[in-house]
Amino acid sequence: MITPVGLGSIVLRLDQPVGAHRLPARGEALVRFVDSATQAPFAERLAPDVLDAAERRRADRFVRPQDRGSYLVAHVTLRLLLGALLDTAPRDLVMARDACPECGGPDGRPVLVGGRAHFSLSHSRDAVFVACASTPVGVDVEALPAARVVARSEEFFHPDESAELAALPEAGRPAAFARLWARKEAHLKGTGAGLGHEGNLSYLGTGPNADSVRPHWSLTDLPAPEGYAAALALRAPSVHWL
Protein backbone atom coordinates (compact mmCIF):
# COMPACT_ATOMS: atom_id res chain seq x y z
CA MET A 1 0.00 0.00 0.00
CA ILE A 2 1.34 3.44 -0.93
CA THR A 3 0.61 6.24 1.51
CA PRO A 4 -0.27 9.45 -0.38
CA VAL A 5 1.90 12.41 0.54
CA GLY A 6 1.85 15.90 -0.98
CA LEU A 7 4.95 17.71 -2.15
CA GLY A 8 4.72 20.22 0.68
CA SER A 9 5.18 17.52 3.31
CA ILE A 10 8.52 16.33 1.89
CA VAL A 11 10.15 19.72 1.25
CA LEU A 12 13.44 20.33 3.08
CA ARG A 13 15.12 23.69 3.65
CA LEU A 14 18.85 23.83 4.27
CA ASP A 15 18.57 27.07 6.20
CA GLN A 16 16.72 25.18 8.94
CA PRO A 17 17.77 22.19 11.12
CA VAL A 18 17.25 18.83 9.44
CA GLY A 19 15.86 17.42 12.68
CA ALA A 20 16.05 13.94 14.13
CA HIS A 21 14.98 10.96 12.03
CA ARG A 22 14.79 7.24 12.64
CA LEU A 23 16.19 4.77 10.14
CA PRO A 24 13.24 3.72 7.94
CA ALA A 25 11.91 0.23 8.53
CA ARG A 26 11.66 -2.31 5.71
CA GLY A 27 9.10 -1.05 3.22
CA GLU A 28 9.67 2.61 4.17
CA ALA A 29 11.73 5.33 2.53
CA LEU A 30 12.59 8.80 3.78
CA VAL A 31 12.09 11.14 0.79
CA ARG A 32 12.94 14.83 0.66
CA PHE A 33 12.63 17.48 -2.07
CA VAL A 34 14.86 20.57 -2.10
CA ASP A 35 14.61 23.58 -4.42
CA SER A 36 18.20 24.28 -5.36
CA ALA A 37 17.35 27.72 -6.76
CA THR A 38 16.62 28.98 -3.25
CA GLN A 39 18.79 26.61 -1.19
CA ALA A 40 22.08 26.68 -3.13
CA PRO A 41 23.51 29.59 -1.07
CA PHE A 42 22.98 27.60 2.14
CA ALA A 43 24.52 24.50 0.55
CA GLU A 44 27.57 26.58 -0.38
CA ARG A 45 27.87 27.70 3.23
CA LEU A 46 27.51 24.16 4.61
CA ALA A 47 29.62 22.32 2.03
CA PRO A 48 33.09 22.84 3.58
CA ASP A 49 31.97 21.21 6.83
CA VAL A 50 29.72 18.52 5.30
CA LEU A 51 31.19 17.22 2.03
CA ASP A 52 34.33 15.14 1.66
CA ALA A 53 37.31 16.27 -0.41
CA ALA A 54 36.27 14.35 -3.54
CA GLU A 55 32.81 15.91 -3.52
CA ARG A 56 34.23 19.41 -3.09
CA ARG A 57 36.61 18.87 -6.02
CA ARG A 58 33.74 17.62 -8.16
CA ALA A 59 31.67 20.68 -7.28
CA ASP A 60 34.54 22.96 -8.27
CA ARG A 61 34.64 21.46 -11.78
CA PHE A 62 31.12 22.62 -12.69
CA VAL A 63 31.12 25.62 -15.02
CA ARG A 64 27.44 26.61 -14.84
CA PRO A 65 26.34 28.00 -11.45
CA GLN A 66 22.99 26.16 -11.70
CA ASP A 67 24.76 22.81 -12.14
CA ARG A 68 27.10 23.50 -9.24
CA GLY A 69 24.20 24.59 -7.04
CA SER A 70 22.14 21.48 -7.80
CA TYR A 71 25.11 19.21 -7.12
CA LEU A 72 25.93 20.89 -3.81
CA VAL A 73 22.30 20.89 -2.65
CA ALA A 74 21.88 17.20 -3.49
CA HIS A 75 25.05 16.02 -1.77
CA VAL A 76 24.77 18.29 1.26
CA THR A 77 21.15 17.18 1.74
CA LEU A 78 22.10 13.52 1.44
CA ARG A 79 24.87 13.76 4.02
CA LEU A 80 22.73 15.76 6.44
CA LEU A 81 19.91 13.20 6.24
CA LEU A 82 22.20 10.18 6.56
CA GLY A 83 24.04 11.82 9.44
CA ALA A 84 20.74 12.40 11.25
CA LEU A 85 19.59 8.83 10.59
CA LEU A 86 22.84 7.25 11.76
CA ASP A 87 23.82 9.77 14.46
CA THR A 88 27.10 10.39 12.64
CA ALA A 89 28.85 13.58 11.60
CA PRO A 90 27.89 14.02 7.91
CA ARG A 91 31.48 14.53 6.79
CA ASP A 92 32.56 11.25 8.43
CA LEU A 93 30.28 9.14 6.23
CA VAL A 94 32.29 7.12 3.68
CA MET A 95 30.71 6.27 0.33
CA ALA A 96 31.79 3.94 -2.46
CA ARG A 97 30.46 2.24 -5.60
CA ASP A 98 29.00 -1.25 -5.69
CA ALA A 99 29.73 -3.58 -8.58
CA CYS A 100 27.28 -3.37 -11.47
CA PRO A 101 24.91 -6.36 -11.21
CA GLU A 102 24.81 -6.71 -15.01
CA CYS A 103 28.45 -6.42 -16.09
CA GLY A 104 30.39 -6.62 -12.80
CA GLY A 105 32.09 -3.30 -13.47
CA PRO A 106 32.80 -0.69 -10.77
CA ASP A 107 29.96 1.59 -11.84
CA GLY A 108 27.10 0.16 -9.79
CA ARG A 109 24.96 2.10 -7.36
CA PRO A 110 26.62 4.31 -4.74
CA VAL A 111 26.66 2.73 -1.29
CA LEU A 112 27.51 3.69 2.25
CA VAL A 113 30.56 1.83 3.54
CA GLY A 114 29.35 -0.30 6.42
CA GLY A 115 25.94 -0.88 4.82
CA ARG A 116 23.89 0.70 7.62
CA ALA A 117 21.58 2.52 5.20
CA HIS A 118 20.83 2.79 1.50
CA PHE A 119 20.34 6.01 -0.42
CA SER A 120 19.71 7.59 -3.79
CA LEU A 121 19.70 11.15 -5.09
CA SER A 122 18.66 12.93 -8.26
CA HIS A 123 18.66 16.49 -9.55
CA SER A 124 17.28 18.08 -12.69
CA ARG A 125 17.58 21.82 -13.20
CA ASP A 126 16.43 23.26 -9.83
CA ALA A 127 14.65 20.15 -8.51
CA VAL A 128 16.54 17.87 -6.10
CA PHE A 129 15.21 14.62 -4.59
CA VAL A 130 16.97 12.49 -1.98
CA ALA A 131 15.79 9.14 -0.61
CA CYS A 132 17.14 7.01 2.27
CA ALA A 133 16.01 3.52 3.27
CA SER A 134 17.07 0.35 5.06
CA THR A 135 16.87 -1.59 1.75
CA PRO A 136 18.13 -0.65 -1.75
CA VAL A 137 16.31 2.41 -3.08
CA GLY A 138 16.31 4.54 -6.22
CA VAL A 139 14.88 8.01 -6.80
CA ASP A 140 14.77 10.11 -9.94
CA VAL A 141 13.42 13.48 -11.07
CA GLU A 142 13.13 14.62 -14.68
CA ALA A 143 12.26 17.96 -16.21
CA LEU A 144 9.73 17.75 -19.02
CA PRO A 145 11.77 17.45 -22.23
CA ALA A 146 11.57 19.25 -25.54
CA ALA A 147 9.63 17.51 -28.33
CA ARG A 148 12.86 16.65 -30.20
CA VAL A 149 14.08 14.64 -27.19
CA VAL A 150 10.87 12.62 -27.07
CA ALA A 151 11.14 11.88 -30.78
CA ARG A 152 14.54 10.16 -30.52
CA SER A 153 14.01 8.07 -27.39
CA GLU A 154 12.69 4.77 -28.80
CA GLU A 155 15.91 2.81 -28.22
CA PHE A 156 15.65 3.34 -24.45
CA PHE A 157 12.05 2.18 -24.01
CA HIS A 158 10.12 -1.06 -24.25
CA PRO A 159 8.33 -1.32 -27.64
CA ASP A 160 4.94 -1.08 -25.93
CA GLU A 161 6.02 2.10 -24.14
CA SER A 162 7.21 3.65 -27.39
CA ALA A 163 3.86 2.77 -28.97
CA GLU A 164 2.00 4.38 -26.07
CA LEU A 165 4.01 7.59 -26.44
CA ALA A 166 3.43 7.68 -30.18
CA ALA A 167 -0.33 7.25 -29.67
CA LEU A 168 -0.60 10.26 -27.37
CA PRO A 169 -1.44 13.75 -28.63
CA GLU A 170 1.80 15.61 -29.26
CA ALA A 171 1.11 18.05 -26.42
CA GLY A 172 0.83 15.19 -23.91
CA ARG A 173 4.02 13.35 -24.83
CA PRO A 174 6.57 15.37 -22.82
CA ALA A 175 4.78 14.74 -19.49
CA ALA A 176 4.34 11.03 -20.26
CA PHE A 177 7.98 10.79 -21.36
CA ALA A 178 9.26 12.43 -18.16
CA ARG A 179 7.04 10.20 -16.02
CA LEU A 180 8.30 7.07 -17.77
CA TRP A 181 11.95 8.15 -17.75
CA ALA A 182 11.81 8.90 -14.01
CA ARG A 183 10.35 5.44 -13.35
CA LYS A 184 13.05 3.77 -15.46
CA GLU A 185 15.88 5.66 -13.78
CA ALA A 186 14.52 5.14 -10.26
CA HIS A 187 14.24 1.40 -10.78
CA LEU A 188 17.65 1.02 -12.41
CA LYS A 189 19.30 3.19 -9.75
CA GLY A 190 17.80 0.91 -7.13
CA THR A 191 19.10 -2.25 -8.78
CA GLY A 192 22.42 -0.63 -9.69
CA ALA A 193 22.10 -1.32 -13.42
CA GLY A 194 22.54 1.53 -15.88
CA LEU A 195 19.83 2.60 -18.30
CA GLY A 196 21.78 1.10 -21.19
CA HIS A 197 21.61 -2.40 -19.68
CA GLU A 198 17.86 -3.01 -19.60
CA GLY A 199 15.93 0.21 -20.06
CA ASN A 200 14.20 -1.20 -23.12
CA LEU A 201 13.45 -4.63 -21.61
CA SER A 202 11.20 -3.84 -18.64
CA TYR A 203 7.73 -2.44 -19.27
CA LEU A 204 6.73 0.26 -16.77
CA GLY A 205 4.09 2.11 -18.77
CA THR A 206 3.39 5.76 -19.50
CA GLY A 207 0.04 5.98 -17.69
CA PRO A 208 -0.77 8.03 -14.60
CA ASN A 209 -0.13 5.16 -12.15
CA ALA A 210 3.17 3.36 -11.77
CA ASP A 211 3.11 -0.43 -11.55
CA SER A 212 5.37 -2.71 -9.53
CA VAL A 213 8.20 -3.76 -11.84
CA ARG A 214 9.20 -7.19 -10.56
CA PRO A 215 9.03 -9.34 -7.42
CA HIS A 216 10.47 -7.67 -4.31
CA TRP A 217 10.45 -4.19 -5.90
CA SER A 218 7.81 -1.49 -5.59
CA LEU A 219 7.59 1.60 -7.74
CA THR A 220 5.62 4.78 -7.11
CA ASP A 221 5.39 8.22 -8.67
CA LEU A 222 6.33 11.07 -6.34
CA PRO A 223 4.70 14.50 -6.19
CA ALA A 224 6.89 16.96 -8.08
CA PRO A 225 6.86 20.66 -8.95
CA GLU A 226 5.11 21.76 -12.13
CA GLY A 227 7.25 20.90 -15.13
CA TYR A 228 8.85 17.83 -13.51
CA ALA A 229 8.12 14.16 -12.89
CA ALA A 230 9.64 12.04 -10.11
CA ALA A 231 9.57 8.40 -9.05
CA LEU A 232 10.78 6.14 -6.23
CA ALA A 233 11.76 2.46 -6.42
CA LEU A 234 12.25 0.42 -3.24
CA ARG A 235 13.30 -3.15 -2.68
CA ALA A 236 10.35 -4.18 -0.52
CA PRO A 237 6.89 -5.67 -1.06
CA SER A 238 5.21 -2.25 -0.70
CA VAL A 239 6.19 1.38 -0.18
CA HIS A 240 5.49 3.81 2.64
CA TRP A 241 7.39 7.06 2.37
CA LEU A 242 8.07 9.35 5.28
Side-chain angles (χ1 to χ4, degrees):
M1 177 180 180
I2 296 171
T3 302
V5 178
L7 179 64
S9 62
I10 62 174
V11 171
L12 179 69
R13 295 177 58 94
L14 297 180
D15 57 339
Q16 299 174 357
V18 170
H21 294 287
R22 63 174 175 83
L23 187 64
R26 180 175 174 81
E28 295 180 341
L30 177 67
V31 179
R32 292 293 179 264
F33 162 79
V34 188
D35 175 16
S36 67
T38 61
Q39 299 302 299
F42 304 105
E44 286 275 7
R45 189 180 306 164
L46 293 167
D49 295 323
V50 172
L51 302 184
D52 66 17
E55 288 168 319
R56 296 195 301 275
R57 286 195 299 269
R58 174 84 181 274
D60 289 340
R61 289 198 292 267
F62 285 102
V63 176
R64 297 176 66 242
Q66 184 183 39
D67 295 337
R68 175 183 170 85
S70 293
Y71 177 88
L72 287 174
V73 167
H75 287 260
V76 166
T77 300
L78 173 65
R79 284 185 172 269
L80 291 176
L81 286 176
L82 286 173
L85 290 171
L86 302 173
D87 194 24
T88 301
R91 194 170 178 176
D92 291 342
L93 298 167
V94 180
M95 299 174 189
R97 283 274 184 178
D98 231 348
C100 172
E102 300 293 332
C103 66
D107 58 346
R109 64 190 181 89
V111 294
L112 189 64
V113 174
R116 293 175 292 166
H118 298 267
F119 63 87
S120 182
L121 59 81
S122 180
H123 47 91
S124 178
R125 298 179 186 170
D126 291 328
V128 172
F129 277 82
V130 174
C132 303
S134 59
T135 57
V137 63
V139 72
D140 191 66
V141 58
E142 300 291 335
L144 270 60
R148 65 180 183 277
V149 175
V150 178
R152 62 172 186 256
S153 63
E154 286 191 4
E155 63 184 288
F156 297 111
F157 294 147
H158 187 279
D160 291 345
E161 294 166 342
S162 295
E164 289 176 8
L165 285 173
L168 290 171
E170 187 172 349
R173 290 175 193 167
F177 175 98
R179 189 162 55 233
L180 175 59
W181 194 275
R183 293 171 185 172
K184 293 277 185 184
E185 286 277 16
H187 174 230
L188 293 173
K189 284 181 179 180
T191 65
L195 193 62
H197 287 292
E198 57 174 59
N200 61 347
L201 301 180
S202 298
Y203 173 82
L204 303 185
T206 61
N209 298 311
D211 296 320
S212 185
V213 291
R214 60 178 56 185
H216 310 303
W217 282 92
S218 289
L219 181 70
T220 181
D221 296 328
L222 296 172
E226 184 176 356
Y228 295 88
L232 175 80
L234 183 66
R235 185 171 174 80
S238 60
V239 179
H240 177 96
W241 24 296
L242 307 173

